[in-house]
């Protein structure tokens, strides 16, 4: 720093930090300590002449302050750092912009500070600390007091151009000790709000169709509501009594020292002032009850002492009888204004805030001077030094702390030791770093039934970057159920999977998102029933319910080897109910709204959609008939709302019965396919858990999904190519045989040998094709690299560099895919030839010669 106190931004500290990062760890601890001491900047160990002058000013202010206000506590003006050197507290702030895109807002910075540091309580809870470590030392140890955490957070916010200040004051015991056992877990609040939003009644439109009135007794409803309210009040009263018995009143209420951050409005689209607690990362309004008083606040430009009354905290309230004393700054304003308005943060008002450096340049003045110099430089006027703009002002020196460096590895590790545990009311939240878990677990929330947290009610886990796309897993101990939620795009398009044991088996629920296939959205399978929900179907089906007879569902015949036909009777189905949306392309009297298959009675009931200006729908009931059975009037019945409609004749009834028989067979096959698919999904989930992979980044996850998709596509292409090769080989030999129904042994052997040689030739040609394809891709990549060799210019923009990197990566992926396809083909040459020979010998003309 030059004489006169100007800001000088040299690179000494950055070079020293690079040396520290590149230095190797010595084998002995003593040598490591000596090397670290040599790399520490001198500003940490000594004070410059101007720093000594600043300390003299602070000492003089402290003496006068204690003399004028003997009832107030000493201010935190010049604590010692980690090397025992006194430093003016404002110079401990080091505005730093980390350059990480994850730390570009106050929410992200406060969350990082709260997660990265563990709380070190004050030695004396009613006194300000005498020692204040630098933010760089705090980042290394990951332990900090509330003052050190606030200093680090304020430094990060100042680097992002927030108008931030460190506040020294008083707070409640729970905030000072980071005791959240009386607070509701924010994750539970979010879940409750979402559930409430889903179940809340939609506002009724003025001209909408009114729902039919529910015919229930209002008196009984009121009695039931009163009973539920009384039970809830009794439970709440019991919990409050337990809380009062376990949480005794705080004897230091109003005297516990705490430190937090103040963010003023005016910058970064901040409209209102607010506080940030560095221990939790949460924001609070400036009138929150948890903050019981403010002694002082500071930023890198000055230190301000509060002169407003804090007997009611930071908000307006009735004045206390004794407004002076420890923890409550004496009111210097008239009594008519005391406690009648909230605390103001106009730091330029000397009647509300007393600055330590009366002749110091404020932040606002410095910003205006910089803007004025920029305007003068733009219009060509000569610019002057800052000292000339403020000839009698005191310039606060540059921070003695070196640049705060947060690496991406530290950002990923985040928690001390890779894990952090927070206890809430009836809940415990565990958060993990991705570097300490091998299954992608990032959070675990355990809820309890009692306040002592001994009886577990449920466990919910959050995952990230897993190969099976699992995002959430929840265990409900009360219902003995398990729920899994997946990211979209996984196998079978599965989004949700839940199961729980029931009396006679297991009840499973699955949800999908596949509108382009069968439109199945949800399926619930239990031993007694199956319920399927559909969406976006061409036949407008949206619900299907299958009910089974006593004894439950019979597993379907998964293969046709047992000779058993797949029917509703064989599946032990009692009844099938299907509901359809309105099909605008059909007349109302032909559009079925509900279809019921009564399997034991061999009967089908049809219910049609309501016609306009009608209150009841048309109905039809049909009995299943055999092919040679004549149709009689006792086999069907109907009710037509429109009396002018002509009743159906025998031929119409016959066609309708045959159509419903085919539909019943299709339903049986669909039920079988759904059950087989569910069993396949369950087995697939077990295999995925055994072969689980956890990716380090989203890019690696995308690459793995793309490779898997490429392998599946390659397998399908190879199967198609193999089939085509086999057909092409057999065609000329089959043509030579003509219409022969049988072959001699010599003809069969000659036929097989000829086909075998021809198939080998085809495989060789395909190998040459894959080899030429690989060489062409490599040659194309080499030509593009030569054409782009001149584009690796350090002056290129970031977008151009990223585009070049993506193009290069894409070409490398195509080369690796072509190489894998060739290698896979070479490895399976013998296997393909054997498969072709087996298929060839199964031909009806050759099977009699090779199957014995």
């Amino acid at each position: 720093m030059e004489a006169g106190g100007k800001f000088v931004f040299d690179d000494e500290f950055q070079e020293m930090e690079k040396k520290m990062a590149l230095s190797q760890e010595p084998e002995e601890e003593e040598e490591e300590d000596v090397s670290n001491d040599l790399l520490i900047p001198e500003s940490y160990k000594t004070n410059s002449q101007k720093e000594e002058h600043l300390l003299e000013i602070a000492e003089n202010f402290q003496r006068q302050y204690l003399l004028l206000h003997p009832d107030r506590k000493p201010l935190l003006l010049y604590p010692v750092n980690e090397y025992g050197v006194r430093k003016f507290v404002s110079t401990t702030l080091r505005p730093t912009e980390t350059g990480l895109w994850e730390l570009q807002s106050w929410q992200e910075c406060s969350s990082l500070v709260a997660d990265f540091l563990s709380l070190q309580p004050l030695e004396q809870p009613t006194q300000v600390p005498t020692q204040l470590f630098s933010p760089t030392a705090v980042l290394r140890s990951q332990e900090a007091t509330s003052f050190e955490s606030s200093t680090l957070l304020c430094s990060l916010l100042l680097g992002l151009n927030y108008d931030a200040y460190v506040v020294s004051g008083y707070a409640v015991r729970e905030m000072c000790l980071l005791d959240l056992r009386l607070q509701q877990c924010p994750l539970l609040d979010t879940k409750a709000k979402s559930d409430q939003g889903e179940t809340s009644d939609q506002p009724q439109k003025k001209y909408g169709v009114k729902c039919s009135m529910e015919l229930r007794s209002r008196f009984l409803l009121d009695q039931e509501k009163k009973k539920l309210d009384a039970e809830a009040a009794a439970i709440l009263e019991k919990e409050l009594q337990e809380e009062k018995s376990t949480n005794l009143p705080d004897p230091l209420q109003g005297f516990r020292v705490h430190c937090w951050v103040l963010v003023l409005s005016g910058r970064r689209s901040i409209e209102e002032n607010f506080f940030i607690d560095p221990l939790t990362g949460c924001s609070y309004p400036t009138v929150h009850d948890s903050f019981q008083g403010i002694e002082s606040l500071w930023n890198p430009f000055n230190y301000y002492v509060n002169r407003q009354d804090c007997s009611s905290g930071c908000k307006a309230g009735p004045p206390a009888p004794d407004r002076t004393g420890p923890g409550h700054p004496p009111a210097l304003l008239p009594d008519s204004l005391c406690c009648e308005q909230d605390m103001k943060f106009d730091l330029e008002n000397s009647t509300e805030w007393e600055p330590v450096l009366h002749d110091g340049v404020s932040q606002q003045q410095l910003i205006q001077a910089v803007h004025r110099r920029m305007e003068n430089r733009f219009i060509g006027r000569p610019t002057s030094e800052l000292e000339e703009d403020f000839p009698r002002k005191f310039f606060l020196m540059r921070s003695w702390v070196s640049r705060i460096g947060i690496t991406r590895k530290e950002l990923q590790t985040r928690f001390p030791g890779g894990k952090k545990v927070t206890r809430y009311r009836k809940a415990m939240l565990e958060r993990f770093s991705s570097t300490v878990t091998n299954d992608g677990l990032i959070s675990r929330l355990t809820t309890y039934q009692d306040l002592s947290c001994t009886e577990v009610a449920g466990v919910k886990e959050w995952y990230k970057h897993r190969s099976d796309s699992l995002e959430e897993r929840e265990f409900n101990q009360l219902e003995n159920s398990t729920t899994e939620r997946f990211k979209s795009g996984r196998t079978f398009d599965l989004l949700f999977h839940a199961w729980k044991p029931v009396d006679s088996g297991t009840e499973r629920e699955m949800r999908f998102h596949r509108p382009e296939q069968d439109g199945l959205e949800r399926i619930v399978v239990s031993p007694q029933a199956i319920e399927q929900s559909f969406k976006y179907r061409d036949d407008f089906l949206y619900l299907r319910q299958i009910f089974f007879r006593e004894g439950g569902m019979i597993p379907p015949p998964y293969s046709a080897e047992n000779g058993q036909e797949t029917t509703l009777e064989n599946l032990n189905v009692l009844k099938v109910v299907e509901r359809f949306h309105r099909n605008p392309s059909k007349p109302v009297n032909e559009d079925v709204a509900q279809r019921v298959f009564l399997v034991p009675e061999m009967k089908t009931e049809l219910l049609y959609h309501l016609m306009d200006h009608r209150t009841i729908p048309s109905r039809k009931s049909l009995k299943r008939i055999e092919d040679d059975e004549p149709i009689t009037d006792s086999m069907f019945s109907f009710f037509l709302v429109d009396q002018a409609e002509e009743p159906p004749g025998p031929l119409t009834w016959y066609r309708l019965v045959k159509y419903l028989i085919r539909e019943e067979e299709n339903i049986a096959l669909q039920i079988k396919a759904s059950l087989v698919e569910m069993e396949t999904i369950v087995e697939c989930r077990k295999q995925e858990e055994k072969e689980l992979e956890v990716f380090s980044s989203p890019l690696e996850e995308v690459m793995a999904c793309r490779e898997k998709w490429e392998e599946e596509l390659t397998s399908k292409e190879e199967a198609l190519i193999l089939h085509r090769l086999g057909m092409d080989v057999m065609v000329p030999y089959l043509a030579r045989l003509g219409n022969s129904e049988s072959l001699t042994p010599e003809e069969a052997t000659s036929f097989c040998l000829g086909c075998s040689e021809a198939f080998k030739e085809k495989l060789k040609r395909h190998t040459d094709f894959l080899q030429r394809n690989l060489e062409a891709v490599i040659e194309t990549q080499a030509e593009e690299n030569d054409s782009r060799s001149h584009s690796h210019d350090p002056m290129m923009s970031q977008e151009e560099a990223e585009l070049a990197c993506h193009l290069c990566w894409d070409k490398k992926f195509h080369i690796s895919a072509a190489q894998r396809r060739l290698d896979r083909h070479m490895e399976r040459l013998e296997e393909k030839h054997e498969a072709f020979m087996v298929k060839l010998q199964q031909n009806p003309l050759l099977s009699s010669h090779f199957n014995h």
Side-chain angles (χ1 to χ4, degrees), residues 469-680:
S469 301
L470 179 65
E471 290 186 331
E472 296 180 13
R473 178 182 287 155
E474 184 174 0
F475 305 94
N476 192 325
Q477 302 289 345
L478 302 179
E479 299 179 359
N480 196 18
S481 63
T482 305
T483 303
E484 294 179 339
R485 291 179 175 85
F486 303 89
K487 187 168 56 177
S488 60
R490 62 156 280 126
T491 312
F492 300 103
D493 296 312
L494 182 65
L495 297 178
F496 178 90
H497 181 204
W499 67 92
K500 64 179 180 180
V502 292
D503 295 338
S504 56
T506 303
E507 178 180 326
R508 292 187 182 274
E509 177 182 356
M510 293 184 182
R511 299 176 189 173
F512 307 87
H513 178 70
R514 48 188 188 192
E516 298 179 355
Q517 299 182 17
D518 56 355
L520 181 62
E521 189 177 32
R522 176 175 174 268
I523 180 172
V524 180
V525 178
S526 64
Q528 291 77 26
I530 298 177
E531 181 176 333
Q532 294 176 311
S533 300
F534 300 91
K535 204 172 183 180
Y536 308 117
R537 283 179 63 103
D538 296 336
D539 57 358
F540 295 89
L541 174 67
Y542 71 91
L543 180 65
R544 177 185 289 155
Q545 295 174 316
I546 302 101
F547 301 94
F548 297 96
R549 305 178 189 178
E550 294 183 2
M553 172 183 57
I554 296 178
Y558 296 109
S559 63
E561 296 178 357
N562 52 10
Q564 187 178 8
E565 186 181 0
T566 303
T567 60
L568 296 180
E569 292 86 353
N570 295 335
L571 295 177
N572 202 27
V573 175
L574 176 65
K575 180 174 66 172
V576 178
V577 180
E578 292 183 330
R579 293 188 176 93
F580 300 84
H581 287 298
R582 178 74 176 90
N583 187 355
S585 62
K586 290 183 178 181
V588 181
N589 57 352
E590 298 179 4
D591 192 10
V592 177
Q594 178 175 294
R595 190 165 62 184
V596 180
F597 295 91
L598 303 175
V599 180
E601 295 87 349
M602 301 179 65
K603 187 177 179 182
T604 305
E605 296 179 352
L606 302 179
L607 181 69
Y608 292 84
H609 284 279
L610 277 173
M611 301 178 65
D612 295 338
H613 312 292
R614 304 287 180 166
T615 57
I616 55 176
S618 299
R619 297 174 180 270
K620 292 181 181 179
S621 178
L622 304 90
K623 189 176 181 182
R624 186 172 181 177
I625 61 175
E626 302 297 337
D627 294 336
D628 55 350
E629 185 178 359
I631 297 179
T632 60
D633 294 340
S634 60
M635 294 181 178
F636 57 87
S637 62
F638 62 93
F639 169 76
L640 302 179
V641 177
D642 189 2
Q643 298 297 327
E645 183 180 354
E646 184 179 356
L651 181 59
T652 304
W653 286 116
Y654 179 79
R655 291 175 177 174
L656 183 58
V657 168
K658 289 299 181 181
Y659 168 74
L660 293 176
I661 291 175
R662 291 194 300 270
E663 288 294 307
E664 185 176 338
E665 295 174 354
N666 293 334
I667 291 173
L669 294 176
Q670 293 175 17
I671 294 174
K672 171 188 173 182
S674 298
L675 295 176
V676 171
E677 183 184 33
M678 289 197 69
E679 293 295 332
T680 305

Side-chain angles (χ1 to χ4, degrees), residues 687-756:
Q687 192 67 21
E688 288 175 347
E689 290 291 341
K690 295 179 180 179
E691 302 175 356
L692 178 64
E693 294 183 18
V694 180
F695 308 108
S696 59
S697 64
L699 179 60
E700 185 179 351
E701 184 177 359
V702 172
M703 291 176 62
C705 294
R706 184 171 179 177
E707 290 180 0
K708 184 177 180 181
W709 172 79
E710 184 75 20
E711 291 180 359
E712 294 178 355
L713 185 61
T714 303
S715 300
K716 293 180 180 179
E717 291 180 352
E718 289 181 352
L720 181 61
I721 291 172
L722 182 63
H723 176 71
R724 290 177 178 176
L725 290 177
M727 295 301 297
D728 293 343
V729 167
M730 295 175 62
V731 165
Y733 289 92
L734 291 174
R736 295 177 187 175
L737 297 177
N739 297 326
S740 301
E741 297 181 357
S742 62
L743 297 177
T744 63
E746 293 77 10
E747 292 177 342
T749 304
S750 176
F751 182 84
C752 289
L753 291 176
C755 291
S756 176

Side-chain angles (χ1 to χ4, degrees), residues 212-328:
S212 58
M213 184 176 61
E214 188 177 2
L215 301 178
R216 294 186 62 184
S217 172
R218 295 183 180 179
F219 175 76
L220 295 179
L221 291 176
D222 293 340
Q223 293 297 321
E224 185 178 357
K225 182 179 179 182
K226 289 180 180 179
K227 181 179 178 181
L228 295 176
D229 293 343
E231 293 177 355
I235 295 174
L236 181 61
E237 183 66 23
K238 182 179 179 181
E239 292 180 353
L240 291 176
Q241 293 294 335
E242 294 179 0
E243 290 181 0
K244 289 180 180 179
S245 61
T246 55
N247 298 293
L248 300 176
D250 185 14
L252 301 178
Q253 177 74 14
F255 296 95
R256 290 187 179 272
V257 175
H258 191 55
C259 187
W260 61 93
V261 175
L262 165 67
V263 179
L264 296 182
S265 60
R267 297 190 199 169
R268 294 290 304 267
S269 302
I270 301 298
E271 298 179 356
E272 295 183 0
N273 306 334
F274 63 92
F275 292 147
I276 302 178
D277 181 24
L279 305 183
T280 59
C282 299
S283 63
Y284 299 88
T286 56
V287 294
H288 198 271
D289 295 334
S290 299
F291 304 95
Q292 300 179 334
I294 294 178
E295 286 284 1
S296 59
L297 55 86
W298 60 90
N299 68 349
F301 296 91
N302 212 330
Y303 189 102
Y304 302 91
V305 181
N306 182 26
R307 301 187 66 184
Q308 303 173 74
D309 183 22
C310 293
S311 58
S312 299
C314 298
K315 65 178 181 178
D322 183 11
R323 290 174 293 178
T324 61
H328 302 291

